[in-house]
Amino acid sequence: SRSIKGNRVPVTPNQVSTYDHSGTLYPQRKVYGVGTLAFSNKSFPNFVESRPSSRSTLNNTPTQTCINAVPQSHTSGVVTQSGDQNGEEKSGCLPGDRVVFAESPSAPGVPIVYRLPEEKAANPDRLNLDRRRLTICPILEGEENLRLLNFQHNSIARIQHLSSLRRLIFLDLYDNRIEEISGLSTLSSLRVLMLGKNRISKIENLNNLLKLDVLDLHGNQIKELENLNHLSELRVLNLAGNQLTKACNFLGMTSLTELNLRRNKIQYVGELDHLPKLLRLFLSYNDVRSFESIRCLGASQSLQELALDGNPFTAEPSYKQIVIDQLASLRQLDLKRITEDERRMASIVVRKEEEKKKECTKAQAMKERRRMAIQNAEKLWHEDNKVAENLSESNANGKLGEFENVSHYTEVEVDTLRLYGAPALDGLEKNNNVHNVQSITQIYFKFIPFDCIVPHFPKLRVRFPALQGLTFSFSSISSLKQLNALSSIRRLDFLTLSPEGNPVTNFSLWKYYLLYRLSHFNLRKINDVDVTMTDTILAEQLFSSLGNVTLQQFDVSRLLYLLPDVRRKQVLSHCDSVEQKKNISLKQAEERKKAVISAEQKNRPSGTEALSVSALAYPQRTRCFSLVLSLFL
Amino acid sequence: MVPHRFLSDYFSRVSQGSHVIHQNYAYVSVTPHNRASFVKLFWKCYRTIGNHGDMLTAKEFHALIQLLCPDFPFHIVQSAARIILMDDAVSDCLMAFQDFLYAFQVQFYYSEFLGACRELYLSLSAGSGSPRLEGVESGVFLDRITDMISNDHHHHHPSIRVVHRILGKTQKASFYTYLLGIANSDTINASIGALPKKGQCLESGDGGKSSKSP
């Protein structure tokens, strides 16, 4: 017997399976094999049963009817014959075809086949010419009654000389060298056409074969499914092992029940609603990537069996569930039965997957929104500061899209409120974004000019009573005088001025000035570094003269102006009471000033800044003093 | 607060020089007296920093100045820094407090005069070879300055004798050695009257002539 690997079919008649050119075995498709021309009821139930016009000889044997093929060596013009193959003849098989090859002088090179009258009488309607090394279709002399014709395993390149076989029902040209479907136009009775394992690249010239029931074109080079729309009686179509990239164009093929598209390059299946009777669809080893490409299968109410193994789609985690969920009539998937339980579970799994995907895309969209907003905030900050070198992050991608106008972002992370971009400061006013103001202990400002944040300082503690720390990143803090504004926050434990975007951090004394100016805060950490006693003492040493000189040089009214209303009244009343008690007049400026200073010191609540320090104010509008005084010069 | 008392308080502070704190630049720079008062104020507020030995950049000095006068312009501080650093001023160069103090004093107090000197210097050096390195003829420069001083009655200037002494030291003078000479001159410092002698500026005490004892 010949080896299976060589894609030859074994000679032993018991093995009756179809092989396509990859050698894969499909046990259920018992069509025929070498040595036998067998019709199992299973493959062609309708063919055998519902075709009353078919010859009775076909219906005789319920299982198999064999024609023993006798391979013969053959050279043109030489008649040779060998007897039946030894030991391989099964009982019940008819004797092999004995044919005579001849040649006509009018058509040189074209063999003519004669059958002896006895042979013809024994098998008038079937002729087996497989493995006769034919390179041309021979002329068949006097075989007009032929119904079954077998040309398997030859080297025929063109279909010819069949025009007289008007009664032909079964034509087998499996394993030849046919390049083009042609020469079939008179065979209007043809029911089964086997053209597997040839070199056909286009489906055509089947126009008159309106009774075609089975069409086998596996193992060819066909790229497109076409010119089959008139085959309204076609039930089985085999296009396995071709080069199809999509499966559609099924209009008119209303009888199709089985469609074999294995081992193509199919990425898309469509128009399955034109196949109302489709029961079995084989799409194994194609290029289907997702359910979307085969969505039309969901519309089929007839499909019972489906094979999708070997497609990329099967790698998806819920592949099976999606298919089962969408195809309500399906009974078998990838050769495995679908159970009731599986069906029930399938829809649940599919819903869950969909929800997960939705969550994921939502999360991604949010992330993208955030990224864009912060990027825009950064861009604006850089424009304001005219810093060109740091534009590496804000790339010129141009992917602005719908988020183009949003250049701020607010988010809350556990106990930290983060604000990006100046417009985000609105979040400090309204109650929009921050749900639980009680839990916020840190506020983080990024890409917001410091001068924009300053007006919000006084209300910050009111709004966020648990506030402990502030961080300023890219806030354009460039001068020590800006640090004075931090005093209006009134109380803070942690303060961070990040080196990025805050030039003031380049000054060697900035921390000490901060400690001096905000000494009443008792800051615990600056830029995440603990504030030590040494630091505090040094700060006092460096800047106390500043405070003292200031105090010396301010006049009384200006000093009083520095105090908030309540305290001012307190101090003044204290001075008045001193004046009364000690019965002295505090008319002299110096004495009055001394009294005010000492009164202020006595009555200062803890955590309030010293008078000398509060003189160091965040520069705002020009004081009216200097305007008035400049008139006197 | 009675008006006459307010005004008397104000004028006494003016005479003491304690009127310039936390005023804007237009006020602080309007008279020589205000300028000198401001220099003195700067010295008093920050001499402890000088004591501590920290060396600071021009920008940082400027930030400290702005704590006292919020809109004080940077170019004056920058010009003062150039005097010390001999025009090689990279913005991050560090300077000692007393060096900066005296340079700042003359640059601020005599800013118009020094600007005019610079014009003269540039016009002189335009003719000659490599003025940066060698400078210009001191004598010629001096003559030009003298002429300018006698003709210009608007702006105040240091005494001609001192300028003469500074430029008489060398044959050629570069602009920055000239400026440095002015900054370090005790005579000029005394005539401004805001700061003590250079060696004594880090000691506590008041210094200068127009001050009351603390």
Side-chain angles (χ1 to χ4, degrees):
Chain A
S1 65
R2 299 179 182 113
S3 71
I4 295 175
K5 275 225 172 80
N7 288 337
R8 309 288 194 96
V9 180
V11 170
T12 49
N14 288 335
Q15 297 200 333
V16 284
S17 313
T18 305
Y19 288 78
D20 58 22
H21 70 277
S22 76
T24 322
L25 177 64
Y26 300 112
Q28 289 178 333
R29 301 279 330 267
K30 294 182 205 277
V31 180
Y32 61 89
V34 165
T36 59
L37 200 61
F39 302 95
S40 74
N41 284 346
K42 203 163 176 225
S43 292
F44 305 106
N46 293 342
F47 180 80
V48 174
E49 289 149 13
S50 67
R51 293 289 193 279
S53 59
S54 56
R55 296 285 172 197
S56 54
T57 45
L58 284 170
N59 289 339
N60 270 347
T61 51
T63 50
Q64 292 179 15
T65 321
C66 334
I67 297 176
N68 210 355
V70 181
Q72 296 183 359
S73 61
H74 155 264
T75 48
S76 172
V78 174
V79 176
T80 48
Q81 237 177 67
S82 57
D84 298 334
Q85 287 192 354
N86 296 330
E88 284 181 328
E89 216 176 6
K90 207 177 173 183
S91 59
C93 276
L94 300 172
D97 295 71
R98 277 166 252 174
V99 296
V100 175
F101 283 91
E103 237 186 65
S104 154
S106 56
V110 180
I112 304 176
V113 167
Y114 292 99
R115 277 205 290 183
L116 300 171
E118 312 88 70
E119 279 294 328
K120 226 193 258 187
N123 298 304
D125 54 356
R126 57 190 78 188
L127 178 57
N128 201 337
L129 290 172
D130 81 315
R131 286 214 173 78
R132 310 290 178 124
R133 303 198 192 142
L134 297 166
T135 54
I136 300 179
C137 279
I139 297 171
L140 303 171
E141 191 65 38
E143 299 283 1
E144 288 75 13
N145 283 330
L146 210 58
R147 297 201 8 237
L148 293 93
L149 179 55
N150 181 358
F151 273 126
Q152 276 193 51
H153 306 295
N154 283 291
S155 308
I156 296 168
R158 261 190 82 194
I159 309 169
Q160 301 171 283
H161 306 135
L162 302 177
S163 352
S164 57
L165 308 174
R166 300 293 168 107
R167 297 222 177 115
L168 202 63
I169 290 176
F170 187 104
L171 175 60
D172 190 345
L173 284 157
Y174 171 77
D175 189 19
N176 277 280
R177 296 189 194 169
I178 295 166
E179 291 171 0
E180 186 188 58
I181 304 174
S182 56
L184 303 169
S185 43
T186 56
L187 306 177
S188 48
S189 307
L190 203 66
R191 303 256 165 83
V192 179
L193 176 58
M194 308 298 225
L195 283 169
K197 204 174 173 197
N198 277 284
R199 297 174 193 180
I200 297 165
S201 51
K202 191 171 153 88
I203 307 173
E204 55 187 345
N205 298 328
L206 300 169
N207 308 349
N208 292 346
L209 309 180
L210 296 168
K211 297 245 175 88
L212 208 59
D213 186 59
V214 175
L215 176 57
D216 183 355
L217 285 165
H218 81 269
N220 279 287
Q221 297 151 15
I222 295 166
K223 294 196 173 61
E224 211 170 311
L225 211 155
E226 55 184 340
N227 298 323
L228 298 167
N229 307 89
H230 56 290
L231 302 174
S232 55
E233 293 183 25
L234 192 70
R235 281 181 314 114
V236 177
L237 175 58
N238 184 355
L239 282 164
N242 277 286
Q243 292 163 17
L244 299 169
T245 53
K246 56 184 199 288
C248 46
N249 201 1
F250 295 122
L251 184 64
M253 300 163 71
T254 48
S255 303
L256 201 67
T257 58
E258 180 170 327
L259 179 55
N260 184 352
L261 295 170
R262 290 183 173 102
R263 279 170 296 100
N264 277 280
K265 297 174 194 169
I266 291 171
Q267 292 181 341
Y268 168 75
V269 176
E271 294 178 22
L272 240 62
D273 50 329
H274 293 147
L275 305 174
K277 296 211 179 133
L278 190 68
L279 295 176
R280 291 180 290 280
L281 175 58
F282 303 103
L283 282 166
S284 316
Y285 297 98
N286 274 288
D287 196 21
V288 172
R289 309 230 172 128
S290 71
F291 188 74
E292 274 312 302
S293 349
I294 51 170
R295 185 158 278 282
C296 67
L297 270 77
S300 168
Q301 291 170 2
S302 55
L303 198 64
Q304 287 180 3
E305 192 178 330
L306 176 62
L308 282 169
D309 52 304
N311 280 285
F313 173 38
T314 58
E316 242 179 74
S318 49
Y319 143 74
K320 198 170 173 188
Q321 282 76 20
I322 293 174
V323 172
I324 295 176
D325 184 53
Q326 292 286 326
L327 277 64
S329 52
L330 205 64
R331 293 187 204 163
Q332 265 200 36
L333 176 62
D334 297 337
L335 303 178
K336 278 175 257 169
R337 260 197 68 233
I338 300 172
T339 64
E340 278 302 310
D341 275 343
E342 275 176 324
R343 207 160 257 292
R344 242 181 293 126
M345 283 304 299
S347 60
I348 297 174
V349 170
V350 168
R351 301 286 160 271
K352 266 203 202 142
E353 277 290 317
E354 269 172 21
E355 270 179 37
K356 233 203 307 177
K357 256 191 216 163
K358 251 191 235 169
E359 283 301 315
C360 205
T361 45
K362 226 201 274 182
Q364 267 181 346
M366 274 211 61
K367 230 177 156 190
E368 181 61 21
R369 232 197 325 267
R370 177 185 185 271
R371 193 188 70 84
M372 280 311 307
I374 294 178
Q375 190 174 296
N376 287 341
E378 182 176 355
K379 261 194 211 159
L380 281 180
W381 185 86
H382 281 297
E383 274 171 25
D384 285 345
N385 288 274
K386 295 190 183 81
V387 173
E389 71 261 10
N390 286 343
L391 279 174
S392 56
E393 283 210 34
S394 49
N395 48 35
N397 206 320
K399 242 175 79 176
L400 288 174
E402 63 195 271
F403 304 129
E404 185 163 341
N405 295 325
V406 176
S407 59
H408 67 279
Y409 193 77
T410 309
E411 61 186 359
V412 177
E413 188 188 325
V414 192
D415 62 348
T416 305
L417 170 64
R418 289 181 204 267
L419 304 169
Y420 301 85
L425 290 173
D426 286 344
L428 293 175
E429 296 285 337
K430 305 166 203 154
N431 223 334
N432 283 343
N433 293 317
V434 186
H435 300 291
N436 195 357
V437 292
Q438 302 290 335
S439 63
I440 301 291
T441 62
Q442 302 265 347
I443 303 182
Y444 177 90
F445 301 95
K446 193 164 183 181
F447 301 125
I448 309 177
F450 186 74
D451 300 336
C452 297
I453 313 175
V454 167
H456 295 271
F457 283 162
K459 290 164 269 173
L460 218 51
R461 286 213 80 88
V462 175
R463 190 85 210 293
F464 303 100
L467 188 65
Q468 288 176 1
L470 293 181
T471 302
F472 297 92
S473 174
F474 288 95
S475 304
S476 316
I477 304 176
S478 55
S479 184
L480 296 173
K481 66 186 179 189
Q482 288 174 296
L483 301 181
N484 292 333
L486 292 167
S487 154
S488 51
I489 303 175
R490 300 216 190 89
R491 185 70 229 278
L492 215 56
D493 290 334
F494 309 105
L495 186 57
T496 301
L497 271 61
S498 76
E500 299 110 13
N502 292 315
V504 78
T505 54
N506 292 328
F507 297 162
S508 53
L509 297 178
W510 77 272
K511 275 192 195 177
Y512 297 107
Y513 182 69
L514 200 65
L515 280 172
Y516 173 72
R517 184 65 184 80
L518 305 175
S519 52
H520 56 295
F521 280 13
N522 292 316
L523 283 166
R524 294 219 290 235
K525 280 194 191 187
I526 297 180
N527 284 23
D528 278 330
V529 174
D530 284 326
V531 171
T532 64
M533 203 56 196
T534 330
D535 293 332
T536 321
I537 292 175
L538 184 55
E540 183 68 26
Q541 273 179 356
L542 287 172
F543 290 103
S544 57
S545 51
L546 176 61
N548 293 338
V549 169
T550 309
L551 212 54
Q552 274 174 16
Q553 302 207 350
F554 269 36
D555 67 342
V556 180
S557 47
R558 218 164 162 192
L559 281 177
L560 288 171
Y561 182 80
L562 290 173
L563 293 171
D565 288 342
V566 176
R567 291 203 61 220
R568 191 183 318 139
K569 286 195 186 129
Q570 245 181 9
V571 165
L572 283 174
S573 67
H574 185 97
C575 285
D576 287 338
S577 68
V578 161
E579 200 174 10
Q580 278 175 3
K581 271 188 199 161
K582 297 196 179 169
N583 206 12
I584 52 170
S585 141
L586 292 173
K587 298 268 165 46
Q588 293 292 340
E590 280 299 318
E591 283 161 21
R592 188 166 177 76
K593 194 160 133 184
K594 276 186 200 160
V596 164
I597 290 173
S598 68
E600 190 274 334
Q601 267 178 347
K602 275 195 196 135
N603 294 326
R604 189 192 315 151
S606 68
T608 320
E609 59 190 4
L611 201 55
S612 54
V613 161
S614 62
L616 303 166
Y618 178 70
Q620 281 159 342
R621 294 188 314 274
T622 326
R623 291 184 189 264
C624 58
F625 293 119
S626 54
L627 278 175
V628 167
L629 297 175
S630 61
L631 295 173
F632 286 86
L633 296 169
Chain B
M1 178 45 78
V2 187
H4 69 261
R5 186 168 294 143
F6 176 79
L7 289 174
S8 91
D9 281 347
Y10 170 71
F11 283 114
S12 64
R13 278 187 299 115
V14 169
S15 73
Q16 287 170 18
S18 56
H19 60 302
V20 285
I21 189 167
H22 290 184
Q23 303 296 344
N24 57 11
Y25 178 70
Y27 180 82
V28 159
S29 61
V30 73
T31 63
H33 174 67
N34 284 11
R35 294 186 191 186
S37 305
F38 188 77
V39 170
K40 186 168 176 181
L41 175 67
F42 175 76
W43 164 61
K44 276 192 177 169
C45 286
Y46 296 124
R47 61 178 157 188
T48 43
I49 290 176
N51 248 326
H52 199 252
D54 288 296
M55 303 249 294
L56 306 177
T57 64
K59 282 197 179 145
E60 193 157 7
F61 278 120
H62 180 237
L64 291 173
I65 288 172
Q66 281 201 331
L67 286 175
L68 302 171
C69 173
D71 59 346
F72 199 95
F74 181 60
H75 65 86
I76 296 186
V77 177
Q78 197 171 37
S79 307
R82 284 214 192 99
I83 297 176
I84 303 168
L85 303 170
M86 305 293 268
D87 199 30
D88 282 339
V90 181
S91 55
D92 294 335
C93 271
L94 299 171
M95 297 172 280
F97 177 74
Q98 53 261 52
D99 294 336
F100 176 77
L101 178 63
Y102 285 90
F104 174 65
Q105 171 177 245
V106 298
Q107 178 63 48
F108 186 38
Y109 193 81
Y110 288 125
S111 54
E112 294 84 356
F113 170 72
L114 293 182
C117 290
R118 186 162 186 273
E119 298 290 313
L120 288 176
Y121 183 85
L122 286 176
S123 70
L124 273 181
S125 66
S128 54
S130 50
R132 285 268 176 111
L133 300 171
E134 297 171 359
V136 298
E137 291 288 331
S138 314
V140 179
F141 192 33
L142 179 57
D143 288 339
R144 293 282 179 91
I145 294 175
T146 315
D147 286 339
M148 177 193 66
I149 288 177
S150 21
N151 291 335
D152 179 8
H153 301 288
H154 294 293
H155 300 118
H156 53 285
H157 52 84
S159 86
I160 294 186
R161 264 180 298 135
V162 184
V163 176
H164 190 100
R165 212 184 315 145
I166 291 168
L167 283 174
K169 286 185 188 156
T170 52
Q171 176 77 14
K172 288 217 177 206
S174 80
F175 189 59
Y176 285 102
T177 49
Y178 165 63
L179 289 179
L180 210 52
I182 293 186
N184 291 334
S185 158
D186 283 337
T187 323
I188 292 181
N189 177 44
S191 69
I192 295 175
L195 302 172
K197 276 198 182 153
K198 189 158 184 187
Q200 299 165 2
C201 70
L202 292 182
E203 298 162 15
S204 53
D206 212 17
K209 68 174 190 242
S210 57
S211 62
K212 245 181 160 178
S213 50

